[in-house]
């Protein structure tokens, strides 16, 4: 599965934004797994998705001075759903699309990691399996 293409088509994002979203989404999942489970399991994600780092750095950036402090989103409360929602907000994706983004992430990861690792990921970050 090509997660960048899926995010681009389904969310109507430019390819560089879809790459950035994919990288940051997978980075969030990796960080959550590292915090809640172990460094070893998080490393499996990093090893299975070597392109994640280049995707993370391809996220569109803002030109200096193009955003006013009052336009910045408020900090999100702790929790995986709130962090995922905050990530979507940074890419100007409606919160209603969270289930779609989560589903695409799990589909992509299922093509890259073994079923046991995928189950650990889903338990560590329940927002990926919640349905609206």
């Amino acid at each position: 599965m090509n997660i960048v293409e899926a995010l681009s088509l389904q969310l109507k994002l430019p390819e560089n934004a879809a790459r950035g979203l994919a990288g940051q989404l997978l980075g969030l999942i990796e960080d959550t797994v590292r915090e809640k489970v172990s460094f070893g399991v998080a490393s499996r994600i990093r090893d299975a998705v070597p392109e994640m780092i280049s995707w993370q750095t391809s996220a569109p950036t803002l030109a200096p001075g193009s955003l006013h402090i009052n336009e910045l989103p408020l900090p999100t409360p702790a929790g995986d759903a709130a962090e995922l929602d905050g990530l979507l907000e940074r890419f100007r994706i409606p919160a209603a699309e969270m289930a779609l983004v989560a589903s695409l992430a799990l589909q992509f990861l299922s093509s890259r990691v073994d079923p046991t690792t995928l189950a650990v990921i889903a338990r560590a970050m329940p927002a990926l399996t919640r349905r609206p």
Side-chain angles (χ1 to χ4, degrees):
M1 172 197 184
N2 183 336
I3 191 168
V4 172
E5 183 178 299
L7 290 168
S8 180
L9 290 173
Q10 300 219 17
L11 297 173
K12 312 269 188 280
L13 293 173
E15 187 175 333
N16 68 328
R19 274 194 312 272
L21 176 58
Q24 292 188 22
L25 173 62
L26 294 167
L28 173 60
I29 293 168
E30 178 191 25
D31 289 346
T32 301
V33 168
R34 183 180 305 108
E35 289 172 12
K36 291 185 175 180
V37 182
S38 74
F39 183 81
V41 176
S43 294
R44 288 186 219 157
I45 298 168
R46 176 73 55 168
D47 293 343
V49 189
E51 60 268 56
M52 181 172 29
I53 292 173
S54 67
W55 289 345
Q56 288 170 334
T57 59
S58 72
T61 57
L62 298 170
S66 66
L67 184 65
H68 188 271
I69 190 83
N70 293 332
E71 296 171 336
L72 291 173
L74 295 172
T76 56
D80 63 312
E83 288 190 36
L84 182 54
D85 187 47
L87 174 62
L88 297 179
E89 189 175 320
R90 285 193 298 274
F91 283 86
R92 302 201 187 277
I93 297 169
E97 300 290 354
M98 185 186 299
L100 172 63
V101 171
S103 174
L104 292 173
L106 284 175
Q107 287 175 45
F108 174 73
L109 287 169
S110 72
S111 71
R112 297 289 186 105
V113 300
D114 62 88
T116 302
T117 301
L118 188 65
V120 170
I121 292 167
R123 279 193 309 275
M125 193 166 179
L128 295 175
T129 58
R130 285 194 194 117
R131 300 292 172 233

